[in-house]
Amino acid sequence: FFGRTMYCTDNYINPSMAPEPSSRRVPGTWAAVFAVGCLLAVAVLGAALFDGMNGGVTATMLWNPAGLELPTTTAASQAAVPRASWAVPPAPAAQSGAPAFSAPQAVATGAGVTAAMLAAPAVAAQAGAPTVPSVAQLATVSDALVDPTLLTGFLTALTLLTFAGLIYKVSTEFDDEATLALVAKKGAEEASDRNRKTNVGSKGANQLLGIKGAADDEVPLWKIRLQLTKPVTWVPLIWGVACGAAASGNFSWTNPADILKAVTAMFMSGPLLTGYTQTINDWEDRAIDAINEPYRPIPSGKISGPQVIAQIWGLLLAGLAVAVGLDQWAGHWGDGRSGIFLGDVQIGPITANALFGAWVAYIYSAEPLKLKKFGWIGNYALGASYIALPWWCGQSLFGDLNPEVMVLSVLYSLAGLGIAIVNDFKSIEGDKALGLVSLPVQFGVNKAKYICAGTIDATQLAVATYLAYIGETNYALALFGLVAPQMFLQATTFLPNPLENDVKYQAAAQPFLVFGILCTALAMGHHAALGTI
Protein backbone atom coordinates (compact mmCIF):
# COMPACT_ATOMS: atom_id res chain seq x y z
CA PHE A 1 0.00 0.00 0.00
CA PHE A 2 2.78 2.44 0.92
CA GLY A 3 4.72 1.77 -2.29
CA ARG A 4 1.71 2.14 -4.49
CA THR A 5 0.60 5.32 -2.73
CA MET A 6 4.06 6.82 -3.19
CA TYR A 7 4.50 5.95 -6.84
CA CYS A 8 1.14 5.30 -8.47
CA THR A 9 -1.45 7.75 -7.12
CA ASP A 10 -2.03 11.48 -7.20
CA ASN A 11 -4.84 11.74 -4.63
CA TYR A 12 -3.33 12.54 -1.25
CA ILE A 13 -5.16 13.57 1.91
CA ASN A 14 -2.11 15.63 2.80
CA PRO A 15 -0.65 17.16 -0.39
CA SER A 16 2.63 17.89 1.36
CA MET A 17 3.29 14.15 1.55
CA ALA A 18 3.14 13.75 -2.24
CA PRO A 19 6.53 12.75 -3.70
CA GLU A 20 8.46 15.03 -5.98
CA PRO A 21 8.03 14.33 -9.71
CA SER A 22 10.46 11.64 -10.73
CA SER A 23 11.20 9.47 -13.72
CA ARG A 24 10.73 6.48 -11.43
CA ARG A 25 7.12 7.42 -10.92
CA VAL A 26 5.03 5.58 -13.51
CA PRO A 27 1.34 5.98 -12.62
CA GLY A 28 -0.77 3.05 -13.69
CA THR A 29 2.00 0.44 -13.94
CA TRP A 30 1.17 -1.28 -10.68
CA ALA A 31 -2.52 -0.80 -11.38
CA ALA A 32 -2.08 -2.68 -14.65
CA VAL A 33 -0.20 -5.50 -12.93
CA PHE A 34 -2.92 -5.79 -10.28
CA ALA A 35 -5.67 -5.70 -12.89
CA VAL A 36 -4.08 -8.42 -15.03
CA GLY A 37 -3.57 -10.63 -11.98
CA CYS A 38 -7.15 -10.17 -10.84
CA LEU A 39 -8.48 -10.86 -14.34
CA LEU A 40 -6.46 -14.06 -14.52
CA ALA A 41 -7.77 -15.18 -11.14
CA VAL A 42 -11.35 -14.42 -12.15
CA ALA A 43 -10.82 -16.22 -15.47
CA VAL A 44 -9.53 -19.36 -13.74
CA LEU A 45 -12.37 -19.37 -11.23
CA GLY A 46 -14.92 -18.64 -13.94
CA ALA A 47 -13.60 -21.47 -16.09
CA ALA A 48 -13.79 -23.79 -13.11
CA LEU A 49 -17.37 -22.80 -12.37
CA PHE A 50 -18.41 -23.15 -16.03
CA ASP A 51 -16.62 -26.47 -16.30
CA GLY A 52 -18.40 -27.58 -13.14
CA MET A 53 -21.72 -27.59 -14.98
CA ASN A 54 -20.30 -30.22 -17.30
CA GLY A 55 -18.45 -32.25 -14.68
CA GLY A 56 -15.06 -31.48 -16.20
CA VAL A 57 -11.57 -31.74 -14.82
CA THR A 58 -11.43 -28.12 -13.69
CA ALA A 59 -14.61 -28.62 -11.70
CA THR A 60 -13.06 -31.63 -10.03
CA MET A 61 -10.16 -29.49 -8.89
CA LEU A 62 -12.39 -26.71 -7.54
CA TRP A 63 -15.41 -28.51 -6.13
CA ASN A 64 -13.76 -31.82 -5.33
CA PRO A 65 -10.43 -30.81 -3.81
CA ALA A 66 -10.44 -33.81 -1.48
CA GLY A 67 -10.57 -36.22 -4.39
CA LEU A 68 -13.82 -38.04 -3.67
CA GLU A 69 -13.40 -40.03 -6.87
CA LEU A 70 -10.09 -41.53 -5.88
CA PRO A 71 -7.82 -42.73 -8.72
CA THR A 72 -6.23 -46.16 -8.31
CA THR A 73 -3.86 -48.37 -10.27
CA THR A 74 -6.18 -51.36 -10.46
CA ALA A 75 -9.11 -51.84 -12.79
CA ALA A 76 -11.36 -53.01 -9.98
CA SER A 77 -11.05 -49.69 -8.21
CA GLN A 78 -11.63 -47.40 -11.20
CA ALA A 79 -15.30 -46.75 -10.31
CA ALA A 80 -16.13 -43.50 -8.60
CA VAL A 81 -16.88 -43.69 -4.92
CA PRO A 82 -20.17 -41.88 -4.13
CA ARG A 83 -20.12 -38.98 -1.68
CA ALA A 84 -22.53 -40.67 0.68
CA SER A 85 -20.16 -43.56 1.25
CA TRP A 86 -17.65 -41.28 2.95
CA ALA A 87 -20.15 -40.38 5.64
CA VAL A 88 -20.08 -43.92 7.07
CA PRO A 89 -17.87 -44.36 10.15
CA PRO A 90 -14.65 -46.32 9.62
CA ALA A 91 -15.40 -49.00 12.23
CA PRO A 92 -17.16 -51.46 9.83
CA ALA A 93 -14.21 -51.32 7.48
CA ALA A 94 -11.88 -52.36 10.27
CA GLN A 95 -14.20 -55.19 11.28
CA SER A 96 -14.34 -56.51 7.72
CA GLY A 97 -10.59 -56.56 7.40
CA ALA A 98 -10.38 -53.59 5.04
CA PRO A 99 -7.17 -51.59 5.53
CA ALA A 100 -7.51 -48.41 7.54
CA PHE A 101 -4.81 -45.76 7.63
CA SER A 102 -4.17 -42.84 9.91
CA ALA A 103 -2.25 -39.66 9.30
CA PRO A 104 0.84 -40.81 11.28
CA GLN A 105 0.94 -44.05 9.28
CA ALA A 106 0.79 -42.14 6.03
CA VAL A 107 3.68 -39.93 7.08
CA ALA A 108 5.75 -42.78 8.47
CA THR A 109 5.51 -45.21 5.58
CA GLY A 110 5.62 -42.72 2.73
CA ALA A 111 4.90 -43.69 -0.87
CA GLY A 112 4.36 -47.34 -0.08
CA VAL A 113 1.25 -46.50 1.88
CA THR A 114 -0.08 -44.15 -0.81
CA ALA A 115 -0.90 -46.98 -3.18
CA ALA A 116 -2.62 -48.86 -0.39
CA MET A 117 -4.61 -45.77 0.50
CA LEU A 118 -5.69 -45.39 -3.10
CA ALA A 119 -6.87 -48.96 -3.21
CA ALA A 120 -8.47 -48.90 0.22
CA PRO A 121 -11.86 -47.51 -0.86
CA ALA A 122 -12.25 -50.18 -3.52
CA VAL A 123 -11.32 -52.97 -1.08
CA ALA A 124 -13.72 -51.58 1.49
CA ALA A 125 -16.46 -51.25 -1.11
CA GLN A 126 -15.98 -54.91 -2.12
CA ALA A 127 -16.34 -55.82 1.54
CA GLY A 128 -19.54 -53.81 1.73
CA ALA A 129 -18.14 -51.32 4.24
CA PRO A 130 -16.78 -48.02 2.89
CA THR A 131 -14.28 -46.10 4.99
CA VAL A 132 -13.60 -42.48 5.81
CA PRO A 133 -10.23 -41.08 4.64
CA SER A 134 -8.17 -38.99 6.99
CA VAL A 135 -7.16 -35.43 6.15
CA ALA A 136 -3.64 -36.60 5.33
CA GLN A 137 -5.00 -39.24 2.94
CA LEU A 138 -7.25 -36.71 1.26
CA ALA A 139 -4.35 -34.32 0.80
CA THR A 140 -2.22 -37.13 -0.66
CA VAL A 141 -4.72 -38.18 -3.30
CA SER A 142 -6.28 -34.73 -3.80
CA ASP A 143 -6.68 -32.94 -7.11
CA ALA A 144 -5.95 -29.66 -5.30
CA LEU A 145 -4.17 -27.01 -7.31
CA VAL A 146 -1.59 -26.28 -4.60
CA ASP A 147 -0.02 -28.35 -1.86
CA PRO A 148 -1.91 -27.59 1.39
CA THR A 149 1.29 -27.15 3.41
CA LEU A 150 2.78 -24.65 0.96
CA LEU A 151 -0.46 -22.69 0.66
CA THR A 152 -0.95 -22.62 4.43
CA GLY A 153 2.58 -21.30 4.90
CA PHE A 154 2.15 -18.65 2.21
CA LEU A 155 -1.17 -17.41 3.57
CA THR A 156 0.13 -17.45 7.14
CA ALA A 157 3.07 -15.27 6.13
CA LEU A 158 0.78 -12.92 4.22
CA THR A 159 -1.60 -12.63 7.19
CA LEU A 160 1.26 -11.85 9.58
CA LEU A 161 2.67 -9.27 7.17
CA THR A 162 -0.75 -7.62 6.95
CA PHE A 163 -0.98 -7.45 10.74
CA ALA A 164 2.58 -6.08 10.92
CA GLY A 165 1.80 -3.42 8.31
CA LEU A 166 -1.36 -2.48 10.19
CA ILE A 167 0.54 -2.07 13.47
CA TYR A 168 3.23 -0.02 11.75
CA LYS A 169 0.76 2.33 10.09
CA VAL A 170 -1.32 2.81 13.23
CA SER A 171 1.81 3.64 15.23
CA THR A 172 3.24 6.10 12.68
CA GLU A 173 0.25 7.82 11.03
CA PHE A 174 -1.13 11.04 12.48
CA ASP A 175 -3.64 13.64 11.37
CA ASP A 176 -1.82 16.88 10.60
CA GLU A 177 -3.31 20.31 10.04
CA ALA A 178 -4.02 19.67 6.37
CA THR A 179 -6.00 16.53 7.17
CA LEU A 180 -7.96 18.21 9.95
CA ALA A 181 -8.76 21.11 7.65
CA LEU A 182 -10.03 18.68 5.04
CA VAL A 183 -12.24 16.98 7.66
CA ALA A 184 -13.75 20.35 8.62
CA LYS A 185 -14.24 21.28 4.97
CA LYS A 186 -15.87 17.93 4.28
CA GLY A 187 -18.19 18.40 7.26
CA ALA A 188 -19.27 21.83 6.01
CA GLU A 189 -19.84 20.52 2.50
CA GLU A 190 -21.86 17.61 3.83
CA ALA A 191 -24.03 19.91 5.95
CA SER A 192 -24.66 22.23 3.00
CA ASP A 193 -25.42 19.30 0.72
CA ARG A 194 -27.81 17.79 3.26
CA ASN A 195 -29.69 21.04 3.64
CA ARG A 196 -29.96 21.42 -0.12
CA LYS A 197 -31.28 17.88 -0.53
CA THR A 198 -33.73 18.34 2.32
CA ASN A 199 -35.15 21.51 0.79
CA VAL A 200 -35.26 20.30 -2.80
CA GLY A 201 -36.32 16.67 -2.39
CA SER A 202 -34.98 13.55 -4.09
CA LYS A 203 -35.75 10.70 -6.39
CA GLY A 204 -38.17 7.95 -5.44
CA ALA A 205 -35.48 5.25 -5.50
CA ASN A 206 -33.55 6.98 -2.71
CA GLN A 207 -36.76 7.29 -0.73
CA LEU A 208 -37.61 3.60 -0.97
CA LEU A 209 -34.08 2.33 -0.31
CA GLY A 210 -33.46 4.65 2.63
CA ILE A 211 -30.22 6.16 1.35
CA LYS A 212 -28.80 9.68 1.29
CA GLY A 213 -30.91 12.49 -0.07
CA ALA A 214 -34.26 10.78 0.57
CA ALA A 215 -36.51 13.81 1.15
CA ASP A 216 -39.88 14.52 -0.39
CA ASP A 217 -42.77 16.58 0.97
CA GLU A 218 -45.46 14.46 -0.70
CA VAL A 219 -44.42 10.92 0.23
CA PRO A 220 -47.11 8.45 1.37
CA LEU A 221 -46.76 7.04 4.88
CA TRP A 222 -46.04 3.52 3.65
CA LYS A 223 -42.97 4.81 1.79
CA ILE A 224 -41.79 6.61 4.91
CA ARG A 225 -42.18 3.39 6.90
CA LEU A 226 -40.24 1.49 4.26
CA GLN A 227 -37.51 4.10 4.26
CA LEU A 228 -37.10 3.68 8.02
CA THR A 229 -36.29 -0.01 7.52
CA LYS A 230 -33.48 0.86 5.02
CA PRO A 231 -34.01 -1.95 2.48
CA VAL A 232 -30.47 -1.46 1.18
CA THR A 233 -29.23 -2.96 4.48
CA TRP A 234 -31.26 -6.16 4.11
CA VAL A 235 -28.95 -7.67 1.51
CA PRO A 236 -26.06 -8.80 3.77
CA LEU A 237 -28.42 -10.66 6.12
CA ILE A 238 -30.32 -12.33 3.29
CA TRP A 239 -26.96 -13.38 1.89
CA GLY A 240 -25.88 -14.61 5.33
CA VAL A 241 -28.86 -16.97 5.51
CA ALA A 242 -27.88 -18.39 2.12
CA CYS A 243 -24.30 -18.89 3.36
CA GLY A 244 -25.52 -20.73 6.45
CA ALA A 245 -27.68 -23.01 4.32
CA ALA A 246 -24.68 -23.75 2.10
CA ALA A 247 -22.44 -24.43 5.10
CA SER A 248 -24.92 -26.98 6.47
CA GLY A 249 -24.26 -29.30 3.55
CA ASN A 250 -27.95 -30.29 3.53
CA PHE A 251 -29.57 -27.56 1.40
CA SER A 252 -30.78 -28.47 -2.09
CA TRP A 253 -31.80 -25.98 -4.77
CA THR A 254 -33.95 -28.67 -6.39
CA ASN A 255 -36.07 -29.18 -3.27
CA PRO A 256 -39.03 -26.75 -3.20
CA ALA A 257 -39.41 -27.19 0.57
CA ASP A 258 -35.77 -26.17 1.13
CA ILE A 259 -36.20 -23.11 -1.08
CA LEU A 260 -39.38 -22.07 0.74
CA LYS A 261 -37.65 -22.50 4.13
CA ALA A 262 -34.69 -20.38 2.99
CA VAL A 263 -36.91 -17.62 1.57
CA THR A 264 -38.92 -17.51 4.81
CA ALA A 265 -35.71 -17.24 6.87
CA MET A 266 -34.47 -14.48 4.55
CA PHE A 267 -37.75 -12.58 5.02
CA MET A 268 -37.36 -12.87 8.78
CA SER A 269 -33.72 -11.75 8.77
CA GLY A 270 -34.12 -8.96 6.22
CA PRO A 271 -37.40 -7.03 6.13
CA LEU A 272 -38.54 -7.98 9.65
CA LEU A 273 -35.58 -8.09 12.04
CA THR A 274 -33.22 -5.85 10.06
CA GLY A 275 -36.14 -3.48 9.58
CA TYR A 276 -36.65 -3.52 13.35
CA THR A 277 -32.93 -2.84 13.89
CA GLN A 278 -32.84 0.10 11.50
CA THR A 279 -36.08 1.61 12.80
CA ILE A 280 -34.99 1.53 16.44
CA ASN A 281 -31.60 2.90 15.43
CA ASP A 282 -33.23 5.84 13.66
CA TRP A 283 -35.48 6.46 16.65
CA GLU A 284 -32.59 6.50 19.11
CA ASP A 285 -30.44 8.56 16.72
CA ARG A 286 -33.03 11.20 15.92
CA ALA A 287 -30.84 13.87 17.57
CA ILE A 288 -27.68 13.00 15.65
CA ASP A 289 -29.65 12.60 12.41
CA ALA A 290 -30.85 16.16 12.86
CA ILE A 291 -27.16 17.10 12.36
CA ASN A 292 -25.89 14.45 9.94
CA GLU A 293 -29.01 13.55 7.93
CA PRO A 294 -31.84 16.01 8.64
CA TYR A 295 -33.85 14.68 5.69
CA ARG A 296 -34.45 11.37 7.50
CA PRO A 297 -38.14 10.71 8.29
CA ILE A 298 -38.01 11.25 12.06
CA PRO A 299 -36.01 14.53 12.31
CA SER A 300 -37.90 15.93 9.33
CA GLY A 301 -41.22 15.26 11.10
CA LYS A 302 -42.72 13.12 8.33
CA ILE A 303 -43.68 10.38 10.79
CA SER A 304 -44.78 10.77 14.41
CA GLY A 305 -43.21 9.19 17.48
CA PRO A 306 -46.15 6.83 18.26
CA GLN A 307 -46.11 5.63 14.64
CA VAL A 308 -42.40 4.82 14.91
CA ILE A 309 -42.85 2.96 18.22
CA ALA A 310 -45.70 0.92 16.71
CA GLN A 311 -43.47 -0.01 13.78
CA ILE A 312 -40.65 -1.10 16.08
CA TRP A 313 -42.90 -3.44 18.06
CA GLY A 314 -44.70 -4.74 14.99
CA LEU A 315 -41.49 -5.73 13.18
CA LEU A 316 -39.96 -7.28 16.31
CA LEU A 317 -42.97 -9.42 17.19
CA ALA A 318 -43.48 -10.50 13.57
CA GLY A 319 -39.82 -11.52 13.32
CA LEU A 320 -39.96 -13.55 16.53
CA ALA A 321 -43.19 -15.25 15.41
CA VAL A 322 -41.57 -16.32 12.13
CA ALA A 323 -38.53 -17.60 14.08
CA VAL A 324 -40.78 -19.76 16.27
CA GLY A 325 -42.46 -21.10 13.14
CA LEU A 326 -39.13 -21.91 11.49
CA ASP A 327 -38.03 -23.87 14.56
CA GLN A 328 -41.28 -25.83 14.35
CA TRP A 329 -40.76 -26.42 10.62
CA ALA A 330 -37.22 -27.69 11.23
CA GLY A 331 -38.39 -30.00 14.02
CA HIS A 332 -36.42 -28.31 16.76
CA TRP A 333 -39.18 -27.94 19.33
CA GLY A 334 -39.30 -30.95 21.62
CA ASP A 335 -36.31 -32.74 20.09
CA GLY A 336 -34.47 -32.54 23.41
CA ARG A 337 -31.16 -31.33 21.96
CA SER A 338 -31.51 -28.18 19.82
CA GLY A 339 -31.28 -24.62 21.03
CA ILE A 340 -30.97 -23.37 24.61
CA PHE A 341 -32.43 -24.99 27.72
CA LEU A 342 -33.48 -22.99 30.78
CA GLY A 343 -34.25 -25.84 33.14
CA ASP A 344 -36.98 -27.80 31.41
CA VAL A 345 -37.81 -24.93 29.05
CA GLN A 346 -36.43 -25.28 25.54
CA ILE A 347 -35.82 -22.30 23.28
CA GLY A 348 -35.32 -23.31 19.65
CA PRO A 349 -32.02 -22.31 18.03
CA ILE A 350 -33.57 -19.97 15.46
CA THR A 351 -35.79 -18.34 18.10
CA ALA A 352 -32.80 -17.94 20.44
CA ASN A 353 -30.80 -16.47 17.57
CA ALA A 354 -33.57 -13.95 16.81
CA LEU A 355 -33.93 -12.97 20.49
CA PHE A 356 -30.19 -12.46 20.84
CA GLY A 357 -30.02 -10.40 17.64
CA ALA A 358 -32.93 -8.21 18.77
CA TRP A 359 -31.24 -7.63 22.14
CA VAL A 360 -27.92 -6.71 20.47
CA ALA A 361 -29.77 -4.29 18.18
CA TYR A 362 -31.35 -2.61 21.18
CA ILE A 363 -28.19 -2.22 23.27
CA TYR A 364 -26.29 -1.06 20.17
CA SER A 365 -28.67 1.86 19.62
CA ALA A 366 -30.31 2.67 22.97
CA GLU A 367 -29.20 3.98 26.32
CA PRO A 368 -27.93 3.14 28.86
CA LEU A 369 -25.41 0.94 27.01
CA LYS A 370 -25.58 2.39 23.46
CA LEU A 371 -22.65 0.32 22.20
CA LYS A 372 -22.17 2.53 19.17
CA LYS A 373 -20.64 5.15 21.51
CA PHE A 374 -17.69 2.86 22.26
CA GLY A 375 -15.94 2.54 18.92
CA TRP A 376 -14.62 -1.01 18.51
CA ILE A 377 -17.29 -2.67 20.63
CA GLY A 378 -20.19 -1.10 18.81
CA ASN A 379 -18.76 -1.67 15.35
CA TYR A 380 -18.01 -5.32 16.11
CA ALA A 381 -21.49 -5.88 17.52
CA LEU A 382 -22.91 -4.50 14.29
CA GLY A 383 -20.56 -6.55 12.09
CA ALA A 384 -21.29 -9.79 13.97
CA SER A 385 -25.03 -9.18 13.73
CA TYR A 386 -24.76 -8.79 9.98
CA ILE A 387 -22.55 -11.84 9.35
CA ALA A 388 -22.61 -14.41 12.15
CA LEU A 389 -26.28 -14.32 13.20
CA PRO A 390 -27.87 -14.87 9.76
CA TRP A 391 -25.27 -17.57 9.06
CA TRP A 392 -26.26 -19.36 12.27
CA CYS A 393 -29.92 -19.03 11.32
CA GLY A 394 -29.43 -20.63 7.91
CA GLN A 395 -27.26 -23.42 9.25
CA SER A 396 -29.61 -24.19 12.15
CA LEU A 397 -32.53 -24.40 9.73
CA PHE A 398 -30.92 -27.08 7.57
CA GLY A 399 -28.46 -28.74 9.92
CA ASP A 400 -26.69 -28.42 13.26
CA LEU A 401 -24.40 -25.66 14.42
CA ASN A 402 -20.97 -26.80 15.53
CA PRO A 403 -18.32 -24.87 17.48
CA GLU A 404 -15.94 -24.72 14.53
CA VAL A 405 -18.43 -22.96 12.27
CA MET A 406 -19.60 -20.67 15.08
CA VAL A 407 -16.05 -19.53 15.86
CA LEU A 408 -15.23 -19.10 12.17
CA SER A 409 -18.30 -16.95 11.50
CA VAL A 410 -17.64 -14.82 14.60
CA LEU A 411 -14.06 -14.25 13.47
CA TYR A 412 -15.25 -13.42 9.97
CA SER A 413 -17.38 -10.76 11.60
CA LEU A 414 -14.17 -8.78 12.08
CA ALA A 415 -14.42 -8.04 8.36
CA GLY A 416 -17.86 -6.65 9.15
CA LEU A 417 -16.16 -4.48 11.77
CA GLY A 418 -14.01 -2.98 9.02
CA ILE A 419 -17.06 -2.29 6.85
CA ALA A 420 -18.77 -0.61 9.81
CA ILE A 421 -15.73 1.66 10.23
CA VAL A 422 -16.07 2.75 6.60
CA ASN A 423 -19.54 4.05 7.41
CA ASP A 424 -18.15 6.25 10.20
CA PHE A 425 -16.03 8.50 7.98
CA LYS A 426 -19.08 10.31 6.61
CA SER A 427 -20.26 11.55 10.03
CA ILE A 428 -17.12 12.62 11.90
CA GLU A 429 -18.35 16.14 12.64
CA GLY A 430 -21.76 15.00 13.87
CA ASP A 431 -20.23 12.25 16.01
CA LYS A 432 -17.87 14.77 17.61
CA ALA A 433 -20.73 17.15 18.33
CA LEU A 434 -22.68 14.47 20.22
CA GLY A 435 -19.71 12.79 21.88
CA LEU A 436 -19.85 9.50 19.96
CA VAL A 437 -16.44 7.81 19.99
CA SER A 438 -16.30 6.29 16.52
CA LEU A 439 -12.98 4.99 15.25
CA PRO A 440 -12.26 8.03 13.02
CA VAL A 441 -13.06 10.31 15.97
CA GLN A 442 -11.02 8.25 18.42
CA PHE A 443 -7.91 7.61 16.30
CA GLY A 444 -8.13 10.22 13.57
CA VAL A 445 -8.69 9.76 9.85
CA ASN A 446 -5.26 8.44 8.90
CA LYS A 447 -5.06 5.80 11.63
CA ALA A 448 -8.70 4.76 11.24
CA LYS A 449 -8.44 4.18 7.51
CA TYR A 450 -5.60 1.68 8.01
CA ILE A 451 -7.41 0.00 10.90
CA CYS A 452 -10.40 -0.36 8.60
CA ALA A 453 -8.51 -1.78 5.61
CA GLY A 454 -6.21 -3.95 7.72
CA THR A 455 -9.08 -5.49 9.66
CA ILE A 456 -10.95 -6.39 6.47
CA ASP A 457 -7.88 -7.91 4.79
CA ALA A 458 -6.25 -9.67 7.74
CA THR A 459 -9.49 -11.36 8.77
CA GLN A 460 -10.18 -12.79 5.34
CA LEU A 461 -6.57 -13.88 4.89
CA ALA A 462 -6.71 -15.64 8.27
CA VAL A 463 -9.88 -17.48 7.20
CA ALA A 464 -8.20 -18.48 3.92
CA THR A 465 -5.23 -19.76 5.93
CA TYR A 466 -7.54 -21.88 8.06
CA LEU A 467 -9.26 -23.33 4.99
CA ALA A 468 -5.89 -24.29 3.55
CA TYR A 469 -4.86 -25.81 6.88
CA ILE A 470 -7.88 -28.15 6.98
CA GLY A 471 -7.27 -29.27 3.41
CA GLU A 472 -9.80 -27.09 1.55
CA THR A 473 -7.01 -25.64 -0.57
CA ASN A 474 -9.01 -24.70 -3.66
CA TYR A 475 -11.56 -22.82 -1.61
CA ALA A 476 -8.66 -21.09 0.14
CA LEU A 477 -7.27 -20.08 -3.27
CA ALA A 478 -10.68 -18.82 -4.35
CA LEU A 479 -10.99 -16.75 -1.17
CA PHE A 480 -7.51 -15.31 -1.69
CA GLY A 481 -8.54 -14.41 -5.24
CA LEU A 482 -11.51 -12.48 -3.81
CA VAL A 483 -9.37 -10.66 -1.23
CA ALA A 484 -6.86 -9.37 -3.81
CA PRO A 485 -9.34 -7.08 -5.63
CA GLN A 486 -10.44 -5.63 -2.29
CA MET A 487 -6.84 -4.75 -1.45
CA PHE A 488 -6.43 -3.16 -4.87
CA LEU A 489 -9.58 -1.08 -4.43
CA GLN A 490 -8.42 0.01 -0.98
CA ALA A 491 -5.11 1.18 -2.41
CA THR A 492 -6.70 3.04 -5.33
CA THR A 493 -9.85 4.54 -3.80
CA PHE A 494 -10.26 4.26 -0.04
CA LEU A 495 -6.79 4.83 1.40
CA PRO A 496 -5.93 7.90 -0.69
CA ASN A 497 -9.06 9.71 0.53
CA PRO A 498 -11.58 7.87 2.73
CA LEU A 499 -13.64 11.03 3.26
CA GLU A 500 -14.45 11.37 -0.43
CA ASN A 501 -14.36 7.75 -1.57
CA ASP A 502 -16.07 5.80 1.23
CA VAL A 503 -19.26 5.14 -0.75
CA LYS A 504 -17.36 4.45 -3.96
CA TYR A 505 -15.14 1.93 -2.21
CA GLN A 506 -18.04 0.11 -0.58
CA ALA A 507 -19.94 -0.16 -3.85
CA ALA A 508 -16.91 -1.65 -5.62
CA ALA A 509 -15.44 -3.86 -2.88
CA GLN A 510 -18.42 -5.27 -0.99
CA PRO A 511 -19.39 -7.78 -3.72
CA PHE A 512 -15.99 -9.43 -3.32
CA LEU A 513 -16.44 -9.54 0.46
CA VAL A 514 -19.87 -11.16 0.35
CA PHE A 515 -18.78 -13.71 -2.25
CA GLY A 516 -15.85 -14.49 0.04
CA ILE A 517 -18.31 -15.27 2.82
CA LEU A 518 -20.18 -17.62 0.48
CA CYS A 519 -16.90 -19.23 -0.57
CA THR A 520 -16.09 -19.90 3.10
CA ALA A 521 -19.57 -21.34 3.69
CA LEU A 522 -19.25 -23.66 0.70
CA ALA A 523 -15.87 -24.80 1.98
CA MET A 524 -17.32 -25.67 5.38
CA GLY A 525 -20.27 -27.41 3.74
CA HIS A 526 -17.87 -29.45 1.63
CA HIS A 527 -15.79 -30.23 4.70
CA ALA A 528 -18.90 -31.34 6.58
CA ALA A 529 -19.89 -33.60 3.68
CA LEU A 530 -16.58 -35.42 4.09
CA GLY A 531 -17.54 -36.23 7.67
CA THR A 532 -14.55 -34.38 9.11
CA ILE A 533 -16.50 -31.86 11.23
Side-chain angles (χ1 to χ4, degrees):
F1 289 163
F2 179 75
R4 194 187 183 290
T5 300
M6 288 299 294
Y7 293 101
C8 302
T9 60
D10 293 309
N11 298 322
Y12 297 90
I13 288 182
N14 182 1
S16 66
M17 293 298 294
E20 294 294 331
S22 168
S23 59
R24 294 185 305 156
R25 200 162 172 265
V26 282
T29 301
W30 287 107
V33 173
F34 261 112
V36 171
C38 292
L39 286 174
L40 288 175
V42 171
V44 171
L45 295 174
L49 292 172
F50 176 79
D51 200 21
M53 301 176 183
N54 303 302
V57 176
T58 311
T60 302
M61 291 190 294
L62 183 62
W63 301 113
N64 192 16
L68 293 180
E69 299 182 3
L70 299 178
T72 65
T73 56
T74 62
S77 58
Q78 293 293 329
V81 180
R83 176 184 294 268
S85 66
W86 293 114
V88 181
Q95 294 172 359
S96 64
F101 299 93
S102 64
Q105 288 175 318
V107 174
T109 57
V113 173
T114 303
M117 286 193 299
L118 296 175
V123 175
Q126 293 172 359
T131 183
V132 179
S134 68
V135 174
Q137 292 170 346
L138 294 174
T140 304
V141 299
S142 173
D143 288 328
L145 296 171
V146 178
D147 179 80
T149 303
L150 293 177
L151 183 60
T152 302
F154 167 73
L155 291 174
T156 300
L158 194 59
T159 304
L160 293 176
L161 285 173
T162 303
F163 273 116
L166 171 60
I167 294 171
Y168 171 76
K169 281 294 186 182
V170 171
S171 62
T172 58
E173 290 287 336
F174 298 94
D175 287 352
D176 54 16
E177 293 182 2
T179 302
L180 296 175
L182 184 59
V183 171
K185 178 183 176 183
K186 180 67 175 176
E189 291 175 351
E190 284 287 313
S192 175
D193 190 47
R194 284 192 297 268
N195 291 331
R196 178 184 60 80
K197 289 177 178 177
T198 300
N199 293 329
V200 174
S202 64
K203 296 181 179 179
N206 287 7
Q207 184 73 39
L208 293 178
L209 294 177
I211 58 180
K212 285 186 176 181
D216 194 330
D217 293 334
E218 302 297 332
V219 176
L221 182 60
W222 72 268
K223 288 187 177 182
I224 294 295
R225 289 190 180 278
L226 184 62
Q227 184 189 350
L228 276 177
T229 66
K230 292 186 181 178
V232 72
T233 65
W234 301 350
V235 178
L237 288 97
I238 292 173
W239 188 263
V241 172
C243 291
S248 71
N250 298 319
F251 176 78
S252 173
W253 283 105
T254 60
N255 187 336
D258 283 359
I259 296 175
L260 186 57
K261 282 182 183 179
V263 170
T264 304
M266 291 173 181
F267 178 70
M268 176 198 71
S269 299
L272 296 181
L273 292 181
T274 307
Y276 152 79
T277 300
Q278 295 297 338
T279 305
I280 195 173
N281 184 69
D282 267 24
W283 174 249
E284 297 293 337
D285 278 359
R286 56 194 183 276
I288 191 173
D289 282 344
I291 298 175
N292 288 331
E293 299 177 272
Y295 52 80
R296 296 291 300 163
I298 298 174
S300 64
K302 293 182 174 62
I303 187 171
S304 67
Q307 288 173 324
V308 176
I309 298 299
Q311 177 165 320
I312 291 172
W313 279 104
L315 291 172
L316 174 61
L317 294 177
L320 295 177
V322 174
V324 172
L326 286 172
D327 272 323
Q328 179 65 34
W329 199 350
H332 294 151
W333 296 110
D335 65 0
R337 64 180 184 86
S338 301
I340 298 175
F341 289 86
L342 302 176
D344 294 331
V345 178
Q346 178 188 10
I347 303 176
I350 300 175
T351 304
N353 196 45
L355 286 169
F356 179 71
W359 176 71
V360 171
Y362 178 79
I363 64 173
Y364 172 79
S365 300
E367 298 288 357
L369 293 179
K370 204 175 182 72
L371 296 181
K372 65 190 306 178
K373 295 191 302 185
F374 300 105
W376 287 89
I377 299 175
N379 285 331
Y380 183 75
L382 182 64
S385 298
Y386 270 64
I387 294 178
L389 294 184
W391 185 325
W392 296 356
C393 172
Q395 183 146 351
S396 298
L397 185 59
F398 294 98
D400 294 323
L401 275 176
N402 58 71
E404 186 174 21
V405 169
M406 292 182 71
V407 171
L408 188 63
S409 59
V410 168
L411 291 176
Y412 216 119
S413 300
L414 287 171
L417 165 64
I419 293 299
I421 298 173
V422 175
N423 293 326
D424 289 336
F425 284 93
K426 69 178 184 294
S427 56
I428 295 176
E429 291 298 296
D431 291 344
K432 284 182 178 179
L434 292 177
L436 297 181
V437 189
S438 65
L439 266 295
V441 171
Q442 183 176 3
F443 290 96
V445 172
N446 286 335
K447 288 182 184 291
K449 70 180 183 180
Y450 284 106
I451 294 174
C452 174
T455 302
I456 294 172
D457 297 339
T459 299
Q460 294 178 91
L461 289 173
V463 172
T465 302
Y466 176 75
L467 294 182
Y469 174 75
I470 63 175
E472 300 293 342
T473 53
N474 293 320
Y475 287 102
L477 279 174
L479 182 56
F480 175 67
L482 291 167
V483 175
Q486 296 177 62
M487 299 174 74
F488 172 72
L489 289 166
Q490 290 163 1
T492 55
T493 59
F494 181 69
L495 291 177
N497 196 334
L499 297 171
E500 296 287 347
N501 299 328
D502 56 339
V503 176
K504 180 180 178 181
Y505 164 72
Q506 282 192 310
Q510 270 198 328
F512 295 102
L513 174 67
V514 297
F515 275 106
I517 298 173
L518 179 60
C519 177
T520 303
L522 290 171
M524 300 311 294
H526 179 263
H527 206 57
L530 296 178
T532 51
I533 62 174

